[in-house]
Amino acid sequence: MHLEKIVAHPALQQFTLETTTLPNRLAVAPMTRVSAEEDGTPTAEMADYYAGYAQGGFGIVITEGVYTDELYSQGYLNQPGITTDRHTKAWGQISDAVRQAGAHPVMQLMHAGALSQGNRYRSSTAGPSAVRPLRAMMEAYGGSGPWPIPKVMSDKDIEQVIAGFVDSAQAARTAGFTGVEVHAANGYLLDQFLTPYTNTRTDQFGGSITHRVRLTASVIAAIRAAIPDPGFWVGVRLSQGKVNDHDYRWEQGAEEAALIFATVSNATYIHIAGEGSGWQEGALLDNGETITALARRVTQKPVIANGNLADPTLSARVVQEGHADLISIGRSALANPDYPAKLARGIDPTAFDPAMLAPKVTLANTAAWRARTTEASTA
């Protein structure tokens, strides 16, 4: 591809999100790194890691999922939290580093629910229903063996979930983040409420799709009520597939997707995760429309597409054909923190190597991979 065509790539164009003008349409997708201190405090190493993406040219840097309370939300040991003043202060150093490098920091807020495999505050898990999650815990994130059966969340538990998201969003704002992203994807708590086989409730949060998506909508509404400033983003991430069920698809296809999107249309943006498959493989719905285009049409809000979109030709088509407004990059960003700079210069990105995340998905293991590959290339 010629350099002049790369420079004009639509993902490198400016984009205005609410009151903020972004330098481009490229975002770093949230990726769990389990590299915080034992008490959930982010580290200086994490600040360098996130700032590196901003230095590489990304317009938005979305953090890994951050736990929101000291009850049942933590999913992994050494996962960062946003529940104490110490957490908030450390996150402030990260947001400052990202901003100084030219990007907007967004904190993803996550409650693991039944998919918790490491929680320093609780030895048990909680979810919408007493249903054992599919498959086994993830070794790359420090787990092993079958998931435990979660306790059924009471009305009080659900109130505490919502309060945790609100408190964490306010702390993220104090820490200098441009906004938060409510994690309702990939099989974690809000997605557990959304999914019929993990949610067998018969109350206001179970049954029909409008009831099952209610908790996600309630979280978004509660955060927006506490922080009415439109300059503070409150995005939401959704997916069909899950970390423990990559092949799952919404049962009623486009009809169900439209109901879900309409219910969460008070979010600043919609981020559709490509869990387990690329955008091209998993985006098409039964009505012939892509899931991202449907979200864009129904909500009239900006949509972020995700899933193997480091290919410049494919990402250009996603933007030019109106499938999405922004592109998030995950694994390719790990291999290329300077992906936007490479795209602008017409340089082929380094291929993602699974060894970057072995044996666990920590920053230390990725650093070790970089050291090995650098040594090998100079030998």
Side-chain angles (χ1 to χ4, degrees), residues 21-68:
T21 299
L22 302 170
N24 56 49
R25 297 168 181 251
L26 292 166
V28 178
M31 293 175 282
T32 299
R33 305 316 310 275
V34 290
S35 298
E37 294 182 20
E38 184 180 350
D39 71 349
T41 303
T43 65
E45 181 186 34
M46 290 171 61
D48 292 340
Y49 163 72
Y50 284 117
Y53 290 121
Q55 292 160 358
F58 283 94
I60 300 175
V61 176
I62 307 174
T63 72
E64 63 205 282
V66 179
Y67 67 80
T68 55

Side-chain angles (χ1 to χ4, degrees), residues 180-182 184 216 220 234-238 264 267 269-272:
V180 294
E181 180 175 280
V182 174
T216 299
I220 297 168
V234 183
V236 62
R237 196 176 207 219
L238 297 161
V264 300
Y269 67 78
I270 313 296
H271 187 179
I272 308 296

Side-chain angles (χ1 to χ4, degrees), residues 288-302:
E289 197 170 11
T290 62
I291 190 170
T292 48
L294 178 65
R296 198 167 180 250
R297 175 171 63 81
V298 169
T299 66
Q300 297 294 297
K301 295 294 181 68

Side-chain angles (χ1 to χ4, degrees), residues 48-108:
D48 292 340
Y49 163 72
Y50 284 117
Y53 290 121
Q55 292 160 358
F58 283 94
I60 300 175
V61 176
I62 307 174
T63 72
E64 63 205 282
V66 179
Y67 67 80
T68 55
D69 62 45
E70 296 181 357
L71 297 166
Y72 295 99
S73 69
Q74 186 176 1
Y76 310 106
L77 298 179
N78 296 104
Q79 177 187 5
I82 184 70
T83 65
T84 69
D85 289 342
R86 187 166 185 254
H87 291 168
T88 302
K89 183 178 179 180
W91 279 118
Q93 295 170 347
I94 291 175
S95 72
D96 286 347
V98 170
R99 284 188 184 283
Q100 289 172 10
H104 287 275
V106 172
M107 181 181 292
Q108 187 186 72

Side-chain angles (χ1 to χ4, degrees), residues 265-316:
S265 61
N266 54 336
T268 305
Y269 67 78
I270 313 296
H271 187 179
I272 308 296
E275 181 61 61
S277 64
W279 177 87
Q280 192 165 24
E281 293 78 17
L284 195 65
L285 295 170
D286 57 339
N287 69 343
E289 197 170 11
T290 62
I291 190 170
T292 48
L294 178 65
R296 198 167 180 250
R297 175 171 63 81
V298 169
T299 66
Q300 297 294 297
K301 295 294 181 68
V303 170
I304 304 176
N306 170 258
N308 295 344
L309 290 174
D311 175 9
T313 301
L314 180 58
S315 60

Side-chain angles (χ1 to χ4, degrees), residues 1 5-6 9-11 308-320 327 329 339 342-344 346-349:
M1 187 174 291
K5 292 184 179 180
I6 290 287
H9 193 285
N308 295 344
L309 290 174
D311 175 9
T313 301
L314 180 58
S315 60
R317 183 166 74 82
V318 169
V319 175
Q320 289 173 329
I327 302 293
I329 307 293
Y339 175 83
K342 286 182 176 177
L343 183 62
I347 299 173
D348 291 336

